[in-house]
Amino acid sequence: MEHKKLSIRWRRINNPFYRVPKFKQEGAQKDKQHDAKDRKGTLCQLTPLDRISSDAVIPDGGTGMWAGANGDWIALLGFPWNWELVNVYTGRRIPLPPISEFKSTPDKLVFESNDQHLQLLKIAICRVPTAASNYTSFSVLAIFNAAIAVLHCASSRWTVLDNQFLAYGYSDAIIHKGIVFAVTQTGEVYAWNQLSWGPLLISTAPIPPELDEQGRYNLGSWWLARSPDGSRLFLVHTWGVTDGRDYTGLVRILPAAATSEGRHGRTIRGYGKGLLGCEVYSMDTSQLMPPRPWRRIISLGSYSLFLGVNYPIIIPVEDGAEHDRPNMARSNSVYTSHHAVGLAYPPSPEICRFSLNSEDCTVGFQTNIRWTWRQVPLWLIPSFANARQWNLPSRHRLCRGGGDGHLEALTGDNINLIAAHLDVTYTVRLAACSRELYDMISKDEGKMHHWDEPCLLMPPPAYWFDEHWDVARTSRLHDTVYDLVPLDHPRRSVALPFMHDRKWLGANGDWIAAADHHEWCLVNVYTERHIPLPSLPDSKIDHSSFSYQPAYSFNWGPAIDLLKIVICQVPTKGGRYADYKLIALFDKTIFYLEGGGDWRMLEALTPAPDYPNYCDAIELRGHVFAVDETDGSTYFWDTANENLMLPFVIPPPVVDDQQYAWFLAPSADGKRLMIILTVNKIGIANAEVPPDIPYAANGLQLRQYPPVATYVFELDPLSTARAGDFLWRQVNSLSDHSLFLGLNYPIIANLKKRESKAPDGTLVPFMRKNCVYTAYRNIRYNQYPKILRCNLQPDEGETVGVISLPKDGWDSVRQAAMWFKPALNIARSVLPLKKQ
């Protein structure tokens, strides 16, 4: 395995998920499982450039501020002089001694020396600690605005590198071939050889720095790095990036971006040529007296450079594209972030990509978090290179209970900590790693409530009433992270990256039907398997009006609206994922599709203008059933007949003047057809609206209304069709089951452990057995009622519970909340479940 240690890192980087990400702070929380000292961890976001963000917990010193990074190590600053190197995976800590020549101040980033104030910019970890040296040998630079200090061992003292020639403050520093190099804010480069000489001014700026009207060099930054093979010194100059202050009246002002687009929740802005720029220079440092000239680098080839508070990273990056758009991660580019910690203003743009290709523009984006000076984004490469060593018995290791390197060596507390910070889809992937992890997660009934019952899958962003619009907007990671809300438990997040620029049209089990401007498709929530669907026949329908609110027009008739895609049968591995059955439900017609075939129109041939007004449809025992919202009549077609002859019509179970909302569902055993009807409008006298009742369990808002008439009927459609006698039988009780109806395929959930009513007569707990739950009936999300619960056997005085969804901004979501039941068993059946 030793020969693979170096290759693992590079191979994983080439995977899009592992492209160089950033850490950004989202807050701090206690990590009580780490050791007996109850040290804290910082909850961060690991953000690949072309993938969704995910949670990460890294060690923290409570009040520590990270000031540098290299590989698996970060530099943490505490107060006073509580500086440490910390491994982000194992939590191993190496204390760093104070700099004896400097005196601390109340500000942990400001020090005094000879009546001079020194501002710490960052800690450069030039050489990381290793097990081979017993974690005692490393090289670290403390970079201040007017001083450089170097340390090579935790037991030694810092060496302050004097520079009597310094006129402007430092900007960056590294160690290259044993020599310390530092660049100033004006591009002058100095060198020190600690054993013999220094400082030596080896060069001035290869290009003149640009000044603003007040003569300040605040519109550019200078960076140092090494070539990919480590043989040459790189000098990088970026310009055009402001420091976030108001530069009104100055010569150069960063103008508005020429183009912008949303990608994974980040607003990417493109800047035209000449607005922002970057130059890269190279020098052979084998001869410094006299030094050799700088040579302009016009291409980095397949490599890209990542600069910031971290130690410079230069790695090969594969060019790619997603949804016909080039990836943010590209080769031959320079990426920059904050150049120092403790900035009063973040740079603007905060993250930049400078392409060395002359035809490409510069792009930039913000981290989309509320600005805090305590932590800054930095570049970090996730790596498993040291995983074997981490599991060795040691008081510093994360895992307990064994040192054999198995995942099951993690304690239950650590698994809970990990799972608590994963979204639902990644929790399933974690359970697929081993049978032990699967058993541990599946049996955690006390916390993993979302495995127990149907939840509300809420579209992004979830504008909850307990969050102000701006807070809710900035707190969302990106537009493909959704809220999964158990009705009586805290909400969880679920990442659906395939939903970028898509709208869901229906769901069943692990599959979602989605659409964009180009196609309809089926996508598995956990595996992200993508199945494109054929287009509707051009002879029957006009595609020209397809939009975010899908509307289609017959070539021969009136305009019709798509209501939803009913996934009657999901694709399976045994059927080579071609055994699905779908219904495209429009308000005036229906199309039916079996995997491998084409859409077929199911015609009723009602005379114009009395077209059917369909509101729901399902497939049952080889027949398609559709209910007409006008009077509750149910049409059904035999799908085995290739010609799909005219349908039978089943009369409604109730005939009166009341307006009902009609739903169709199969019975629990899948043999009988059920029709559910509720009063289409709910309310109380004088159109009064009940007040919202905050539900602390999950942040929902509840309302209570007077009882609503809700009926369930069933029949065996095939036997009654043969007899020619369609008699509906009323269902007075669902026993231990409840029905969940809406945009999703009907869910019949067994809630045997649930009570059928609240002991105190209130609306909570909201999840109960023998109830009918309805949500949005189709993608036309503005219909009312939204989400309600009706008990088939209500007690005297029992009210109807309604979930009151946010109003402000909800129309812009263009997604309808639907019921979704997470399934952990897919970890055993679909994902590669391995025995460790």
Side-chain angles (χ1 to χ4, degrees), residues 77-100:
L77 306 180
F79 180 82
W81 280 122
N82 185 18
W83 291 7
E84 296 177 300
L85 297 183
V86 183
N87 190 292
V88 296
Y89 304 108
T90 67
R92 177 183 289 274
R93 296 171 181 267
I94 302 175
L96 302 180
I99 303 177
S100 58

Side-chain angles (χ1 to χ4, degrees), residues 103 176 270 295 331 338 344 356 366 398 427 436 501 606 686 705 733 741 744:
K103 179 182 178 182
H176 174 60
R295 180 171 60 87
S331 61
H338 297 225
L356 297 190
Q366 306 296 115
L398 178 64
T427 303
E436 289 75 10
D501 285 341
T606 54
N686 302 321
Y705 286 87
S733 174
L741 309 171
N744 53 282

Side-chain angles (χ1 to χ4, degrees), residues 361-374:
C361 66
T362 299
V363 298
F365 64 91
Q366 306 296 115
T367 54
N368 291 351
I369 59 174
R370 291 182 294 276
W371 173 246
T372 172
W373 69 274
R374 180 172 178 262

Side-chain angles (χ1 to χ4, degrees), residues 149-276:
V150 61
L151 178 70
H152 295 290
C153 180
S155 59
S156 62
R157 299 179 59 230
W158 289 90
T159 301
V160 178
L161 304 179
D162 295 326
N163 188 355
Q164 65 273 27
F165 308 111
L166 183 65
Y168 296 94
Y170 293 114
S171 178
D172 198 9
I174 66 170
I175 296 179
H176 174 60
K177 295 184 177 181
I179 299 174
V180 177
F181 292 90
V183 61
T184 69
Q185 298 173 6
T186 55
E188 297 171 335
V189 179
Y190 294 89
W192 292 262
N193 185 327
Q194 291 181 256
L195 299 179
S196 56
W197 50 263
L200 174 66
L201 176 61
I202 63 172
S203 75
T204 58
I207 58 174
E210 298 188 10
L211 301 175
D212 63 23
E213 281 189 343
Q214 302 177 24
R216 299 175 301 187
Y217 299 97
N218 51 20
L219 301 180
S221 296
W222 295 87
W223 317 75
L224 291 175
R226 303 174 67 193
S227 61
D229 60 3
S231 63
R232 301 177 68 86
L233 180 68
F234 278 0
L235 176 64
V236 182
H237 176 56
T238 59
W239 50 267
V241 180
T242 72
D243 61 9
R245 288 175 287 179
D246 183 9
Y247 284 95
T248 303
L250 300 185
V251 174
R252 178 183 292 276
I253 302 176
L254 183 63
T259 60
S260 64
E261 62 172 306
R263 188 178 300 189
H264 302 300
R266 307 150 212 158
T267 301
I268 310 297
R269 293 182 172 89
Y271 300 89
K273 298 178 181 179
L275 302 180
L276 298 92

